[in-house]
Amino acid sequence: MINTVLVGAQWGDEGKGKITDLIAHDYDYVVRFQGGNNAGHTVVHGDTKLALHLMPSGVMYDDVVPVIGNGVVVDPGVLIKEMAMLSAEGIDCSNLKISADAHIIMPYHKDLDGADEKSLGANKIGTTKRGIGPCYQDKIARKGIRMQDLLDEKIFRLKVKTALSQKNPILQKIYGLHTYTVEEICEEYLPYARILRPYIDETTELLNAAVREGKSILFEGAQGTLLDIDHGTYPYVTSSSCCAGGAITGTGIGPKRIDRVLGIEKAYATRVGGGPFPTEQHFAEDGGVGEEAEVGETLCSVGHEYGVTTGRKRRCGWFDAVVGRYAVEVNGLTDIALTKLDVLSVFDTIKVCVAYECDGERYEYFPQQQSVLFHAKPVYEELPGWKGVDISGCRTFEELPENAQRYVKRLEELTGGRISIVAVGADRDQTIFRDWYRDEN
Ligand code: GDP
Ligand code: IMO
Ligand code: MG
């Protein structure tokens, strides 16, 4: 049985939802291990695109158990709405298991997320304002409220009372925001508790028992390598471990149980929110001119690059092989799924960043110094395109135009990774599996 960790290898939105949904039926369990409803994963259900924020993408199959692991932060109201949306689409959520140890996003976390961002002014991170950072702050400070606390009204009230004794003065005195009463919060959250109670479980034991029985698990990452709290472009990151290591701490499964680490990479790059992005092709409204603005706009419009969670226009740029190499290393990627290759069919030539230059120095590796990264100028290699050829119908690697094959192979050389899956459209079947992928399953 192949246990697979699936992670974003760039700045998020690489197409993790599509690939998870595509391969989920090979697994018995699909587990989210970090992040919360800052994630927006798109899956295609019949003719409709569905956006999943908290529910593991494996929910689309009846015989796959979706699990929300201990490393996730859960906004119960959002989860309940998502379950209702899925039920209305005829998708059964009754198998869902939620870790009793997962932390709960409280109303004041969302207020503090917004207020923090406001106070940072021009240096703001551009968070999704879903309360993710403040909830993880409380977790690390050992002040969080967890799903298991919802199971006992007395304990929940007590924890809320303690939390408010610290949060209310901060909300009021530092940010001039409204405060909360215990009653107000209980009125909202205790009904959530009644709905979610049947799903709250001991997921670490459940998953380890599954491993003992030879069942297989797909660990579904959210966000991406460059948004990881340790390995990303700090402080312009999210507050969790989005790299492969997060799958271990976020579920309680030992590292030797993992057989495959699949990194999802877009055939170009995007980023939402602030922070360095060396290959960015600025839009005209952000100061881009001429070819740069044209490339940025083209990637955005052809690739439909708008945030699933916030609706924000995603910043767009060429594929960055320095980032690619880094992602292969920090995640130990055994395989890569390259998505949205079809989007590049509109270009005469396609650029790939092979290194950075800063102050006369060449960087072949991802620099850890923020100041270098901010001033890094990409060194590009230009590859011939396959302009005008519709590749969305290709189902084998050999069917792709020669230049598209060459592009994929060049990315493998530059990143040191093995591209085992190529996506040529949003639908499940618009996908190419390289020969070895199925053989190794
Ligand atoms: P995630 O957060 O990594 O799951 O990615 P998102 O769902 O936020 O963004 C990826 C978008 O690209 C979604 O709208 C997908 O439907 C779409 N998509 C995924 N793979 C492909 C592909 O190969 N080609 C095209 N054209 N669209 C794709
Ligand atoms: P998926 O799973 C892209 C970004 C935000 C912001 C930073 C911190 O769909 O790939 P946060 O609200 O997490 O504190 O914001 O991280 N961000 C994402 N960008 N895709 C995501 O998720 C993201 N989740 C958070 O834009 O820059
Ligand atoms: Mg997304």
Side-chain angles (χ1 to χ4, degrees), residues 12-17 38-42 52 223 306-309 314:
D13 302 325
E14 300 92 345
K16 297 176 293 293
N38 46 350
H41 297 176
T42 317
L52 302 178
Q223 291 81 51
Y306 293 90
V308 176
T309 299
R314 294 173 181 154

Side-chain angles (χ1 to χ4, degrees), residues 424-436:
V424 291
D427 289 349
R428 269 184 198 164
D429 69 333
Q430 292 178 310
T431 313
I432 295 167
F433 288 97
R434 308 289 291 278
D435 295 339
W436 59 82

Side-chain angles (χ1 to χ4, degrees), residues 68 102 145 149 188 242 250 276 278 288 340 370 379 400 410:
I68 294 178
I145 302 179
D149 300 323
E188 184 187 350
C242 330
K340 300 189 112 167
Q370 217 195 333
V379 179
L400 287 172
R410 186 66 184 133

Side-chain angles (χ1 to χ4, degrees), residues 108-127 129 131-135 137 170-171 174-175 177 239:
Y108 45 80
H109 290 141
K110 293 179 248 187
D111 297 339
L112 291 170
D113 196 351
D116 255 0
E117 280 283 271
K118 211 166 149 196
S119 71
L120 285 172
N123 296 323
K124 70 174 189 209
I125 289 159
T127 74
K129 299 195 182 145
I132 306 295
C135 184
Q137 279 174 37
I170 298 173
L171 288 167
I174 299 183
Y175 294 113
L177 294 172
S239 300

